Amino acid sequence: MKNNRLGNAIRGLTYTLDLPLVMLLFFTLILFTLILIIPLATLFLKPLSVLSLRILEDLIRYPYVSIPPLGEWYIVSDRGEYKLIIVRFKDLGVIPNTILVSSIVTLLSSIIGISIAFVVARYDFLGKGILRIISIIPLLYTPFVNAFVTYKIFGDGGILGSLMLSLGLPYSIEVTYIAGTILAQTLMFWPIVYLNTLASMMQIDPSLEEQAENIGSRGFRLFRTITLPLSLPGVAAGSGLVFIFSMEDLAAPLAFKVDNMMSISIVRAITGSQSIEALSVEVVILAGLLLLSAISWFILIKHYISLKQYAMLARGVRWKPRVSKPSLPTLLAIYLIVFPLVLFSMLPQIGVLIYAFSKSWTGVIPEGFTLEHFSNVLFDSRVLNGLKNSFIYSTLALVLIIIIGTVSSYVISRVSLRGLSAIDLLAMSPLAIPGLSIAMGLLILYGSIFKDTLIDPYINPMFLLILAYAIRKSPFTTRAVYAGLQQVHRSLEEAGFTLGASRTRVLFTIVLPLIGINIIAGSMISFVYCMSEVSTSITVGSLNKSQAPITYIIYDYLTAGYGGGAYIHQASAIVTLIIVVQLIAIITSNYILKFRYSILGI
Amino acid sequence: MAEVILDNVSKYFGRFKALDGVSFTVKPGEIFTLLGPSGCGKTTTLRVIAGLEIPEEGRVLIDGYDVTYKKPYERNTAMVFQNYALWPHMTVYDNIAYGLKIRKYSRDEIKRRVKWALELLGLEGLENRYPLQLSGGQQQRVALARAIVVEPKVLLLDEPLSNLDAKLRVRVREEIVSLQRRLKITTIYVTHDQEEAMNISDRVAIMDRGRIVQIGTPAEIYYNPYNFFIATFMGRSNVLSGVVERVISDKLYEVNINGLRLNGTSTGAKLSTGEDVLVVIRYESFRKADEDDKINVIEGRVERLSFIGLALQVKVITVNGHVILAYLPPREVIDTGAHIRLYVSPEDVKLYPSITGVID
C-alpha cells in the first residue's frame, strides 16, 4: 500500500506537469538551493566547524556585549542661556543594541501604524485622501540619505534644536546616537505596519463589528476586542517585516554614528576584507544571529496566526467597509496628532529633495537653488559606471526573476501535491530573510569554493550579485503573477488540454497571454528594487570597485567623510533620480494591476 | 463513433474516496447521462474520462484503447465545461479554431470547418466577437462548437445548462439532442437534474457517494428504482415505514404500515415476514378508488388542496394518521375536509429493506 502510494505520487507529478515545466521547476529549486538555502546553512555550519570556547567568550565581551553599558542615556548640558538636552541611549554592545533597537522600533512603528490604519479605515474626514497618499511616501526607497536627513533635523546642531533656540525657548533638544537611530528607523518603517494593517482592516466583514456593537460593545473596547484581533494577520506581517528591516538597516546607524550594530559590523567586516580568510568567525556568527532572529519571528507569527481561523466570512462578496464620522475629540486627534505625524515622517524624503537641489544646507534654511549636483553626478564616471552596472545586473536578474516568478507561482497555484506547498514558503521567504545574511552566506560559501577562479567574488562579484538580486527581489513578481493566475480559472487550461494542446502549448497560448500584464507589472517592481538593492550591493558589490552597483556608490559618497555625509548633496541627487524611477514603476504597475498596496514591504 | 468503458475505477482525494469501483460501458453514439446529487462523483468520473484526473485503480478504455494514463491531449475527447471556459483573450473564431490549429489543418480547412460549426450552431456573424460580448446562450453554443469542431471520439458535457435561465435551458437542451443525433458522437452528460437527465438520455447511470447504483433507460429507472435512494431521488414520493405481514410471491408482499395494509412489490432483495421495510409511493401513482376496489385502498380526509397546473395535489390524512400526498387529474372536483378513497396498484408500492440506503 505504501509503495503504491509513493508510485502514485511520482506518477502524479509527471502526469500533472510536462517535461519542460518539470525542468523549469527543478531549475528554480536548484537556484533557490544554491543561492539561498546552502549559503544560509553555511552561516551556521561554518562557525560550528571552528567553534571554540574562546570565540564564544569573545561574543559576550566588548564590542559584542558591553557590561556595564557605556555612555549615558541622556545628557543635560548647561550652555549658559539655555539648557541642551541630548537624548543618547547607552551602548550595550553590538548584539543587545541591535535586538533592543529593533524591538523598540517595531513597537513604536506598530503603535503608530495601527492607530493611523484604524483612523483611515474607520473614519471619514476632510483630507483623508491626501493622508492616504502621503502616508505611503515614507516607503519610497531612498537608500541611506533619508537617515542623514533625519540626522540633519534632530542630530547634533540639528534644525530642531536651532529652531527651538530661535524661538527663544530655554531648552534645546538633540536626538543622537542609538536614540537617533530608533527615531530615524521608526519614521522610515511605520508605514509598513500601517499598510499591512489597513489592508487587513479593509477585509473585515462589517457585520462582525456590527454584531459586537449590537450586543453593546463600542469605542475602544470594540477596537480592542474585535477590530484589532481580526486585523492581527496584517499587524503581524507588518511588524515582522519592520523588525527584520530594522535589524539589517545601515542608514540610521551610519548617520547617527553608531558603530556597535550588527549590520554595521557585518558590512565593515566584508568591505574591509582583502580575502575570504580575513573574515572573522564572529562576524559570520552575527550574520547567523540576524537570520535566526528573522526566522524566529517568521515561525512565531505563522504559529500564532494559524492557531486561529481568520476567515473573513463571506469572501468574494463586496461590501462597503464601515466608515463613520469622527466625534470632535477624535477629529481633533486626527488633525493634531495623525496629520502632523504623517507629515513629520515625510521630512526625510523632503530633505532629500532639498539636499539635491540646494547649494548648501548648513543652517536651518537651505541656501541657493542649483542643478549643479545633478550635472556633477551625471558627469562623474564612477556614478555612470555604477548606474550602468546596476542596470545590467538588474536586467539580467530580471530574466531569472521572470522565470522564477512565473514557474513558482504556476506550480503553487496549479499543482496540488503534498510537499510542493513548501515552494510557496520558499518563494516568499526572501522577503523576510535579512539581505546581509544572504550576502555573508554567499560570500563565505562561494568565496572559498571558487577562490582564484573567474567567478571568485573577490575578483568578479557581478555573478553573485545578479543571482542574489534575482532571488531577493523575485517575490514581488511571484506575488503579482500569482494574483493573475488566481483570476485564470483552471477550466480555461483544461479546455485546452481536452482539445489536444500540451501543457507547454496551453502555457504559451492561453496562460501567458492572460497573465502577461501581471508579469510585466510585477517585474517592473522587481526591477526597481533590484536597482536600489542595498545589502548585497554594498558588501559583495564592494569587492571589486569597477563592478560596484549604484547603491554602493551612494554609500561611498556618504561614508567618505564618515558620518557627516561629506557628499550628501551629490548622494541626494542620485537618490532623487532613483525616486523618480521608482515612482514611475510603482504608479504604472499599480495602474496595471489595480493593486492598491503593491509596495508592501520594500 | 467510439465506445467508452470504465472498468472498476476508483479515485481518492487524500483520504476521501471520490469514486468507488465505477464500471459502465457507453455504447457508440448514445447519450449516456451521469445523474446524482452534488458530491456524488459524477463530475470526477467525467474528468477521469477526459484525463483531467487519473484514477488510483481501474482502467478507462476509449474505442478499445486503454487510455487510463494517457494525457488529456492524447485522448481526443472534447469537454464542455460548466462555466464554458471560453478564452477571454481570443475571438469566437479563434476559440473554435484552437483545436483545429493543434491538429495542424491547413488554413483553408480550418476556415471551412469553423464556418461549418458556426452555421451548425447558429453563430454566423459573431466570429469576431470576444466571449465577454456574448450572451450566456451564445457562449454556451461557442463552447459546444469548439468541442464538436475537432470531431472528438467522445463529447463530454459537464452540467452544460446549469448557467442558463429556465426557458433557455429547454431550448438549448433540445438543440444539444438534435445536434448529437445528427453527428452521432458518443456523448457523456453530467447533471443533477433528473428531469433533464430523463429528457435527454438514451441511458442514465445513477451515482451515489462515488458509486454507480443503477444503469438503465429513463423508463427502466423510473419504474424499477433499484434501491431506496434511487426511488426517492427520481420523482416525488411518499415514504412510509412498515412491516412485512405476508409473503405472497417472490416479488409481491403484504405490508402493514401502522394499521394501513397494502400490497407492494420489491424490485431488489427478497423480503421475509416480520421484516421492517420502507414503502415508497409516487404522488402520481394514486387514483380515486372505485366501488369495486377492495384492496390497496387508502381512506382518509382531505386536509389541503393545491392546484399546480399539471395536477391537483391532495394532502390526505389517513384514518390511521398517515400523511399522504397524491396527484389527481387537475379537473377533479374534491372538497377540503371531505372523505376520500385512493387506490394505488401493488406495482406502484415499492418496498425496500429499511437497513440499506437510509443512513442519510
Side-chain angles (χ1 to χ4, degrees):
Chain A
M1 189 63 203
K2 263 253 153 94
N3 260 336
N4 193 9
R5 220 173 255 176
L6 183 70
N8 279 335
I10 294 168
R11 201 159 55 197
L13 180 64
T14 51
Y15 187 82
T16 3
L17 298 174
D18 279 353
L19 192 62
L21 218 65
V22 171
M23 280 167 61
L24 279 175
L25 176 62
F26 277 118
F27 173 75
T28 303
L29 286 177
I30 287 170
L31 216 54
F32 270 96
T33 312
L34 290 181
I35 305 302
L36 205 63
I37 298 171
I38 300 181
L40 291 179
T42 321
L43 284 182
F44 299 115
L45 296 178
K46 169 124 184 178
L48 276 182
S49 66
V50 294
L51 199 63
S52 67
L53 213 57
R54 201 188 54 76
I55 293 172
L56 284 179
E57 273 176 11
D58 269 358
L59 278 173
I60 54 167
R61 287 215 192 101
Y62 194 83
Y64 299 109
V65 176
S66 65
I67 308 169
L70 305 176
E72 303 297 331
W73 295 108
Y74 64 94
I75 301 167
V76 180
S77 114
D78 206 335
R79 301 279 167 104
E81 291 157 40
Y82 65 97
K83 283 196 171 122
L84 177 63
I85 303 165
I86 306 172
V87 187
R88 281 181 58 84
F89 216 83
K90 283 192 179 179
D91 177 13
L92 310 167
V94 172
I95 297 169
N97 281 351
T98 307
I99 292 170
L100 212 58
V101 166
S102 308
S103 307
I104 297 174
V105 168
T106 306
L107 186 70
L108 294 177
S109 303
S110 302
I111 294 172
I112 300 173
I114 293 167
S115 320
I116 297 186
F118 183 74
V119 166
V120 171
R122 292 291 178 266
Y123 292 113
D124 198 12
F125 51 89
L126 196 69
K128 181 173 167 175
I130 298 169
L131 187 71
R132 286 182 75 144
I133 292 171
I134 59 178
S135 53
I136 307 178
I137 288 180
L139 271 187
L140 282 176
Y141 202 43
T142 51
F144 304 114
V145 288
N146 55 347
F148 283 84
V149 177
T150 314
Y151 178 79
K152 168 79 191 162
I153 299 169
F154 298 98
D156 309 276
I159 293 174
L160 181 72
S162 313
L163 266 180
M164 288 173 85
L165 288 183
S166 57
L167 285 174
L169 295 174
Y171 292 100
S172 172
I173 291 184
E174 286 176 2
V175 184
T176 62
Y177 200 54
I178 293 179
T181 305
I182 292 172
L183 178 69
Q185 290 186 350
T186 305
L187 291 183
M188 246 187 290
F189 295 139
W190 70 259
I192 296 172
V193 180
Y194 158 76
L195 283 178
N196 282 288
T197 308
L198 182 63
S200 262
M201 283 181 177
M202 301 298 257
Q203 273 177 30
I204 298 175
D205 187 329
S207 65
L208 294 175
E209 286 181 3
E210 282 159 4
Q211 174 67 77
E213 258 181 358
N214 179 249
I215 53 177
S217 176
R218 63 201 182 91
F220 187 68
R221 173 191 283 269
L222 178 69
F223 172 75
R224 186 176 56 81
T225 55
I226 308 290
T227 315
L228 185 62
L230 287 175
S231 323
L232 264 189
V235 174
S239 56
L241 285 173
V242 168
F243 185 78
I244 293 155
F245 290 161
S246 162
M247 274 206 305
E248 70 160 344
D249 175 57
L250 284 162
L254 271 179
F256 286 89
K257 300 170 195 164
V258 183
D259 288 332
N260 287 344
M261 292 294 256
M262 277 155 77
S263 54
I264 298 277
S265 309
I266 294 170
V267 172
R268 292 254 168 81
I270 295 178
T271 50
S273 68
Q274 296 303 312
S275 69
I276 187 71
E277 290 83 9
L279 284 173
S280 72
V281 189
E282 286 87 344
V283 227
V284 177
I285 293 178
L286 284 190
L289 278 180
L290 218 55
L291 176 63
L292 214 58
S293 326
I295 293 176
S296 323
W297 250 108
F298 212 65
I299 293 173
L300 199 75
I301 289 172
K302 266 232 132 132
H303 177 71
Y304 185 67
I305 290 183
S306 60
L307 282 180
K308 298 171 186 171
Q309 275 296 320
Y310 283 99
M312 291 304 179
L313 299 185
R315 268 185 175 261
V317 178
R318 290 212 160 267
W319 59 70
K320 256 177 93 83
R322 274 159 53 95
V323 175
S324 56
K325 289 265 174 230
S327 62
L328 191 65
T330 319
L331 202 64
L332 284 177
I334 290 173
Y335 289 120
L336 295 181
I337 302 174
V338 173
F339 265 91
L341 188 73
V342 173
L343 289 171
F344 199 64
S345 304
M346 279 174 62
L347 288 179
Q349 269 68 18
I350 296 171
V352 171
L353 295 182
I354 295 178
Y355 268 125
F357 289 104
S358 68
K359 280 209 180 84
S360 78
W361 190 17
T362 45
V364 173
I365 299 179
E367 286 159 34
F369 176 85
T370 179
L371 292 173
E372 203 181 303
H373 306 308
F374 286 93
S375 60
N376 279 347
V377 165
L378 289 174
F379 283 110
D380 182 336
S381 64
R382 278 185 356 125
V383 173
L384 289 181
N385 192 43
L387 280 171
K388 189 191 78 191
N389 286 342
S390 280
F391 186 81
I392 294 173
Y393 304 160
S394 304
T395 309
L396 291 175
L398 202 56
V399 175
L400 293 176
I401 286 175
I402 290 173
I403 295 176
I404 295 172
T406 312
V407 171
S408 48
S409 54
Y410 187 78
V411 170
I412 294 164
S413 68
R414 291 297 191 263
V415 182
S416 51
L417 281 176
R418 216 183 300 161
L420 280 187
S421 60
I423 292 179
D424 186 10
L425 205 62
L426 196 63
M428 282 325 206
S429 67
L431 277 183
I433 293 175
L436 287 175
S437 305
I438 297 179
M440 178 66 90
L442 285 173
L443 200 61
I444 54 173
L445 178 67
Y446 296 111
S448 20
I449 294 180
F450 297 115
K451 193 166 166 53
D452 299 324
T453 64
L454 185 68
I455 50 175
D456 181 349
Y458 276 87
I459 302 167
N460 279 318
M462 57 180 293
F463 300 108
L464 272 193
L465 281 181
I466 293 167
L467 293 175
Y469 282 11
I471 294 290
R472 290 204 64 203
K473 306 304 176 187
S474 61
F476 299 100
T477 302
T478 307
R479 200 159 52 184
V481 177
Y482 183 75
L485 282 170
Q486 299 285 76
Q487 310 285 321
V488 178
H489 196 276
R490 254 169 199 247
S491 62
L492 291 181
E493 290 172 64
E494 290 172 347
F497 298 145
T498 62
L499 289 174
S502 67
R503 189 175 287 269
T504 317
R505 181 157 190 153
V506 164
L507 212 55
F508 278 99
T509 54
I510 295 167
V511 180
L512 286 181
L514 289 173
I515 61 165
I517 205 85
N518 297 73
I519 296 179
I520 293 170
S523 47
M524 278 172 72
I525 299 286
S526 285
F527 183 81
V528 167
Y529 287 132
C530 281
M531 287 289 287
S532 47
E533 202 271 356
V534 167
S535 303
T536 49
S537 301
I538 63 163
T539 48
V540 178
S542 75
L543 300 177
N544 177 345
K545 299 287 185 284
S546 69
Q547 291 182 8
I550 188 66
T551 33
Y552 176 77
I553 308 291
I554 299 171
Y555 169 77
D556 205 32
Y557 261 120
L558 285 168
T559 49
Y562 171 55
Y567 295 96
I568 189 157
H569 290 280
Q570 287 81 352
S572 296
I574 304 175
V575 170
T576 306
L577 295 177
I578 293 185
I579 290 183
V580 173
V581 176
Q582 281 184 60
L583 274 178
I584 293 172
I586 290 169
I587 291 171
T588 320
S589 121
N590 277 10
Y591 180 76
I592 294 174
L593 286 179
K594 308 230 166 19
F595 267 3
R596 258 184 296 176
Y597 311 115
S598 77
I599 28 178
L600 292 188
I602 301 184
Chain B
M1 288 203 291
E3 184 186 52
V4 177
I5 298 173
L6 263 72
D7 178 17
N8 207 18
V9 167
S10 292
K11 170 79 197 164
Y12 295 83
F13 291 120
R15 289 205 168 159
F16 175 65
K17 198 166 190 179
L19 298 182
D20 186 358
V22 170
S23 298
F24 57 76
T25 302
V26 183
K27 297 173 195 157
E30 76 172 337
I31 299 188
F32 185 85
T33 297
L34 296 166
L35 172 66
S38 59
C40 71
K42 53 194 192 303
T43 295
T44 306
T45 308
L46 201 68
R47 290 171 62 84
V48 165
I49 299 168
L52 298 170
E53 309 281 354
I54 37 166
E56 271 77 27
E57 291 154 27
R59 294 188 309 154
V60 179
L61 286 91
I62 295 177
D63 215 6
Y65 295 100
D66 186 338
V67 297
T68 318
Y69 301 113
K70 286 268 184 280
K71 303 257 181 186
Y73 46 82
E74 296 164 335
R75 300 189 180 204
N76 203 9
T77 61
M79 183 151 162
V80 174
F81 290 79
Q82 191 171 2
N83 62 357
Y84 316 141
L86 298 178
W87 300 304
H89 61 302
M90 295 184 199
T91 60
V92 168
Y93 183 93
D94 288 333
N95 264 285
I96 299 174
Y98 189 85
L100 299 171
K101 284 178 191 161
I102 288 164
R103 284 163 179 72
K104 298 202 167 63
Y105 286 109
S106 72
R107 215 167 222 268
D108 292 341
E109 184 65 12
I110 291 175
K111 235 182 207 167
R112 202 183 60 73
R113 286 179 188 242
V114 173
K115 190 163 173 281
W116 168 81
L118 286 167
E119 276 169 14
L120 196 63
L121 284 146
L123 291 164
E124 302 101 318
L126 298 177
E127 49 267 52
N128 291 323
R129 297 257 191 105
Y130 284 92
L132 286 177
Q133 299 169 304
L134 302 177
S135 70
Q138 288 168 333
Q139 289 183 14
Q140 163 64 259
R141 269 175 280 178
V142 175
L144 212 54
R146 186 176 68 181
I148 59 162
V149 78
V150 298
E151 298 178 341
K153 283 183 181 165
V154 187
L155 181 62
L156 305 170
L157 304 168
D158 185 7
E159 307 231 6
L161 305 180
S162 62
N163 284 338
L164 301 177
D165 63 55
K167 262 192 179 169
L168 203 55
R169 204 174 293 175
V170 174
R171 214 178 85 199
V172 177
R173 187 174 77 191
E174 294 311 314
E175 284 174 9
I176 290 177
V177 175
S178 71
L179 190 70
Q180 197 273 345
R181 291 284 176 257
R182 279 166 69 186
L183 303 173
K184 298 196 169 51
I185 307 172
T186 307
T187 301
I188 302 175
Y189 191 102
V190 160
T191 182
H192 64 271
D193 181 331
Q194 43 127 344
E195 192 206 323
E196 194 176 304
M198 291 203 283
N199 196 297
I200 207 168
S201 319
D202 294 314
R203 288 191 307 143
V204 178
I206 310 280
M207 291 192 75
D208 178 31
R209 283 169 287 170
R211 265 174 277 189
I212 301 275
V213 284
Q214 188 169 9
I215 298 178
T217 63
E220 276 167 12
I221 292 178
Y222 193 79
Y223 288 118
N224 291 304
Y226 187 72
N227 68 19
F228 177 74
F229 165 79
I230 306 163
T232 49
F233 185 71
M234 302 288 272
R236 288 159 193 257
S237 306
N238 297 287
V239 178
L240 305 160
S241 50
V243 181
V244 177
E245 187 85 8
R246 190 163 60 95
V247 179
I248 302 170
S249 74
D250 264 5
K251 300 233 155 161
L252 199 60
Y253 303 87
E254 185 186 332
V255 285
N256 181 346
I257 310 160
N258 199 15
L260 170 65
R261 279 158 198 273
L262 292 175
N263 288 349
T265 47
S266 166
T267 41
K270 277 187 190 169
L271 305 170
S272 46
T273 313
E275 194 175 341
D276 287 336
V277 285
L278 288 164
V279 182
V280 177
I281 309 169
R282 292 231 159 78
Y283 292 1
E284 67 270 30
S285 305
F286 297 96
R287 65 169 164 76
K288 261 180 140 176
D290 299 333
E291 304 249 321
D292 339 336
D293 292 321
K294 294 285 179 270
I295 56 156
N296 276 26
V297 172
I298 299 171
E299 290 193 52
R301 185 175 54 84
V302 176
E303 169 83 4
R304 197 169 100 83
L305 291 168
S306 17
F307 180 71
I308 56 166
L310 283 172
L312 186 64
Q313 182 181 302
V314 188
K315 182 178 179 186
V316 178
I317 309 281
T318 69
V319 287
N320 312 92
H322 306 289
V323 179
I324 299 279
L325 286 166
Y327 285 165
L328 296 178
R331 292 185 194 281
E332 195 83 53
V333 182
I334 305 170
D335 294 323
T336 311
H339 183 80
I340 194 169
R341 292 176 78 235
L342 294 172
Y343 173 79
V344 56
S345 134
E347 58 192 48
D348 289 332
V349 179
K350 309 284 184 195
L351 307 177
Y352 300 97
S354 66
I355 321 124
T356 56
V358 211
I359 302 105
D360 36 314

